[in-house]
């Protein structure tokens, strides 16, 4: 079964600083990768996804993540964060060889943007 | 209106009571899921259903049961609630079938359950 590791449970950062949230997954030849964001008292929203093609994927609000197959990683980055980016971020993986498995989530990273 | 609707949004109950959390969706997706969220543990899969007649246990199904009443409805039951079932519960949906499946989930807003 797939597993996902988010190494940092909390990441404090000052506004306008760059940030990287780390995600590693257990090895598989065929995976889809996702980052979801959860704002306080809300459900999860898809931030970005890697299905195939370019290994660098971007969101509409300035986040990007790079699929690194050799390191089995899918780290999330933003060059300059805003107070509004304060939220919990979840990395998730899907093994699509059979299509019969549900998404597996990491334990989450709480991003705290300080003024 | 939300595409994935969960009821109730908040519920406080006592140990031993039977509780049902309901989920309905208007996205037309075949697949539906129940996850549980606990601080520091992320989301863990309780049950999932690929269609009305295909229901599967997830990693933490003990103490829970589900019913897929129709393509659009998927209910989670706690037959005899206990305090360590206090958590935030999420229903989610996804496309299904080869060629459509990506694993991308669409979530409801969550049901917060407190068991005293």
């Amino acid at each position: 079964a797939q597993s996902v590791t988010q190494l940092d449970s909390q990441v404090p950062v000052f506004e306008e600083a760059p940030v990287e949230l780390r995600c590693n997954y257990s090895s598989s030849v065929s995976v889809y990768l996702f980052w979801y964001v959860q704002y306080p008292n809300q459900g999860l929203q898809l931030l970005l996804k890697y299905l195939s093609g370019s290994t660098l994927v971007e969101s509409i609000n300035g986040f990007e993540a790079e699929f690194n197959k050799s390191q089995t990683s899918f780290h999330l980055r933003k060059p300059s964060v805003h107070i509004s980016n304060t939220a919990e971020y979840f990395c998730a993986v899907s093994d699509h060889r059979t299509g019969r498995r549900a998404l597996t989530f990491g334990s989450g990273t709480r991003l705290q943007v300080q003024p | 209106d939300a595409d994935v609707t969960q009821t109730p949004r908040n519920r406080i109950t006592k140990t031993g009571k039977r509780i049902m959390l309901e989920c309905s969706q208007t996205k037309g997706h075949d697949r539906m899921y129940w996850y549980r969220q606990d601080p520091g543990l992320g989301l863990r899969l309780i049950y999932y259903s690929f269609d009305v007649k295909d229901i599967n246990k997830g990693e933490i199904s003990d103490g829970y049961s589900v019913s897929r009443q129709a393509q659009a409805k998927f209910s989670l039951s706690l037959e005899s609630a206990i305090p360590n079932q206090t958590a935030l519960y999420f229903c989610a949906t996804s496309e299904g079938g080869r060629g459509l499946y990506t694993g991308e989930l669409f979530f409801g807003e969550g049901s917060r359950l407190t068991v005293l």
Side-chain angles (χ1 to χ4, degrees), chain A residues 90-103:
Chain A
F90 294 93
C91 182
V93 62
S94 168
D95 180 340
H96 68 80
R97 283 173 295 178
T98 65
R100 284 199 57 84
R101 294 186 183 174
L103 218 56

Side-chain angles (χ1 to χ4, degrees), chain A residues 33-35 47-60 62-67 74-77:
Chain A
L33 294 158
F34 305 83
W35 276 99
L47 184 61
L48 47 76
K49 61 186 177 185
Y50 169 77
L51 303 181
S52 64
S54 173
T55 57
L56 185 66
V57 291
E58 299 178 352
S59 72
I60 59 174
F63 284 92
E64 65 179 30
E66 185 163 17
F67 169 53
F74 191 57
H75 301 329
L76 181 70
R77 300 184 183 94

Side-chain angles (χ1 to χ4, degrees), chain A residues 1 5 11 14 18 26 28 32 34 38 41 55 59 69 71 75-76 84-85 94 100 103 112 114:
Chain A
T5 302
V11 174
F14 287 107
S26 56
S28 170
Y32 296 139
F34 305 83
Q38 183 182 30
N41 301 313
T55 57
S59 72
K69 188 174 182 178
Q71 297 186 7
H75 301 329
L76 181 70
S84 62
N85 297 136
S94 168
R100 284 199 57 84
L103 218 56
Q112 299 165 314
Q114 304 165 8

Side-chain angles (χ1 to χ4, degrees), chain B residues 2-112:
Chain B
D3 293 327
V4 183
T5 303
Q6 294 183 229
T7 56
R9 294 291 312 281
N10 289 283
R11 182 73 182 269
I12 300 173
T13 191
K14 294 182 179 180
T15 297
K17 293 292 188 180
R18 184 177 187 274
I19 296 297
M20 178 179 287
L21 306 180
E22 297 184 324
C23 178
S24 62
Q25 53 118 345
T26 59
K27 297 190 73 65
H29 287 166
D30 290 327
R31 301 184 175 194
M32 298 187 73
Y33 309 80
W34 277 104
Y35 282 89
R36 166 179 172 161
Q37 183 181 18
D38 298 277
L41 297 179
L43 277 76
R44 293 180 292 167
L45 183 65
I46 306 173
Y47 270 96
Y48 59 107
S49 170
F50 285 168
D51 65 37
V52 175
K53 296 182 180 180
D54 184 356
I55 294 177
N56 306 274
K57 292 183 177 180
E59 58 183 298
I60 55 164
S61 59
D62 287 349
Y64 300 95
S65 63
V66 291
S67 173
R68 184 82 184 265
Q69 301 94 324
Q71 188 208 33
K73 296 183 182 296
F74 192 38
S75 300
L76 176 72
S77 293
L78 289 67
E79 297 301 325
S80 180
I82 56 177
N84 75 1
Q85 291 178 313
T86 293
L88 184 57
Y89 291 85
F90 284 104
C91 175
T93 72
S94 73
E95 298 270 15
R98 291 188 181 276
L100 294 175
Y101 178 74
T102 65
E104 179 179 351
L105 296 178
F106 298 84
F107 284 86
E109 294 188 340
S111 295
R112 185 169 297 280

